[in-house]
Amino acid sequence: MTAAAPPNASILQSMQEQGFEVTHVYGLTETYGPAVICSWHEAWDDLSIEEQAKLRSRQGVNYHVLEDLQVNRSEDLCWVSLLIFTSIR
């Protein structure tokens, strides 16, 4: 598990090639646990390691106490619904 700003996708790719499975989380992990987590989808297992690394560097599933948390696209900061986010490849 890694927390705070997501590692570069190339670092995640290198770690995966060495056999590590990294989960990225974010948000006050030192006090009460992660606020958001990259929730892995089995369908992503068939993607290239490079694509998997890009997905691992994202977070978006919120911790239950953060119901109002929202995920925004980095390009334009528009809200991305959970249903859309979980299907992004």
Side-chain angles (χ1 to χ4, degrees):
M1 180 180 297
T2 185
N8 184 293
S10 64
I11 291 172
L12 291 171
Q13 179 178 344
S14 176
M15 292 182 74
Q16 186 172 352
E17 290 170 345
Q18 295 177 53
F20 292 94
E21 186 175 317
V22 178
T23 299
H24 181 244
V25 298
Y26 184 81
L28 295 172
T29 52
E30 66 278 6
T31 57
Y32 66 83
V36 290
I37 187 169
C38 174
S39 182
W40 194 254
H41 300 270
E42 287 184 20
W44 297 349
D45 291 342
D46 297 329
L47 299 175
S48 70
I49 289 179
E50 182 180 7
E51 286 297 314
Q52 289 182 19
K54 288 178 186 175
L55 291 167
R56 283 188 196 281
S57 70
R58 302 184 69 175
Q59 66 288 114
V61 178
N62 60 315
Y63 189 62
H64 65 88
V65 297
L66 298 170
E67 292 178 22
D68 294 329
L69 180 85
Q70 67 181 34
V71 176
N72 296 349
R73 289 190 304 245
S74 58
E75 300 83 28
D76 55 13
L77 298 180
C78 287
W79 178 73
V80 178
S81 80
L82 181 60
L83 293 176
I84 293 171
F85 181 77
T86 57
S87 66
I88 291 175
R89 281 191 51 185

